[in-house]
Amino acid sequence: MLIQAAVLAGLLLMTGCLGSAPPVEHYLRVEAVTAGCDKGLPQMNVSPSAVVAFMELTALDNLDRPAVLVANGSVLAPSTRWYWEGAPQDVVGAGIIRAVNCLPGVAGVLKYRPRVEHQAVLSGNVTAFNVQRKNGLRFVAGVRLDVWTKDARRLVGSRAFEVETPIAAETPEGIADAASQAVSRIAAEAAAWLSAGMGGPLAECFAESAK
């Protein structure tokens, strides 16, 4: 009887210490869509020949984490249930790389390595990537991009991009969909600015590299 009582007491103690089950974790996938990246579209008579070297994006300290950040005004808190598949700089970077790969005159985008031949260098940092509850539920994303000559010594151009997309519901699905739209918009706007076929900063890098 004493042994049974001790076992029962131990089970009750463990139950009290463990408490309720932890919240279920969800990993949110951002699927950016790049419009106009169809191989059948006209490429403005530009033969793909230039390579863009991409330095991995950086992020502010509070953003450099996989947890989804939720803000009420200017106060942000990391979620204990919702996580991105990677850090925001990786998520945003993947969308931008895909868009740049689609530009006329770009043969491809490679990870920056000084000894690998390339004609331009693209870098930048993520400045926002969070849910915002104040004044309407929405997703906010921002990035600043810098374009450098192939030796990464002269800055050719720099520009900041920020978008907000409404969130249908504060659920994993709703947040993932809004984030996907935000990254897609940023990637499209960045590609339009960078476009070598329209005389953008990449074109200047390509022309200088050809001298």
Side-chain angles (χ1 to χ4, degrees):
M1 293 293 292
L2 290 176
I3 295 176
Q4 291 178 344
V7 172
L8 180 60
L11 291 174
L12 292 174
L13 180 62
M14 289 180 63
T15 303
C17 291
L18 294 176
S20 58
V24 177
E25 295 181 352
H26 294 87
Y27 288 86
L28 283 60
R29 173 168 295 172
V30 175
E31 298 179 322
V33 177
T34 303
C37 194
D38 189 331
K39 297 299 182 181
L41 292 178
Q43 294 296 304
M44 301 175 66
N45 297 321
V46 179
S47 300
S49 59
V51 173
V52 178
F54 187 78
M55 290 184 177
E56 293 182 359
L57 298 180
T58 60
L60 299 174
D61 289 344
N62 67 318
L63 297 175
D64 189 10
R65 63 178 74 195
V68 174
L69 289 177
V70 180
N72 284 294
S74 58
V75 179
L76 293 86
S79 172
T80 58
R81 297 180 295 159
W82 302 330
Y83 301 88
W84 305 114
E85 287 190 312
Q89 58 266 36
D90 298 327
V91 172
V92 176
I96 292 174
I97 288 173
R98 181 176 176 181
V100 174
N101 261 318
C102 292
L103 292 177
V106 175
V109 180
L110 303 177
K111 183 177 180 180
Y112 175 77
R113 292 184 179 85
R115 295 186 179 182
V116 176
E117 185 177 356
H118 55 267
Q119 285 69 48
V121 177
L122 180 62
S123 65
N125 65 296
V126 175
T127 56
F129 201 75
N130 63 274
V131 174
Q132 177 60 259
R133 290 171 173 163
K134 187 176 182 180
N135 298 325
L137 190 63
R138 61 199 187 280
F139 191 84
V140 182
V143 65
R144 172 173 286 279
L145 294 178
D146 301 316
V147 182
W148 304 80
T149 53
K150 65 178 182 179
D151 56 8
R153 292 183 179 180
R154 184 173 73 84
L155 180 64
V156 176
S158 181
R159 183 169 174 178
F161 302 87
E162 184 165 317
V163 301
E164 297 185 2
T165 55
I167 300 175
E170 196 170 330
T171 61
E173 295 80 6
I175 294 172
D177 181 64
S180 296
Q181 294 180 45
V183 173
S184 296
R185 284 178 54 189
I186 280 184
E189 291 177 13
W193 172 63
L194 294 167
S195 180
M198 297 176 64
L202 284 184
E204 184 177 339
C205 290
F206 298 165
E208 181 170 319
S209 178
K211 293 178 180 178

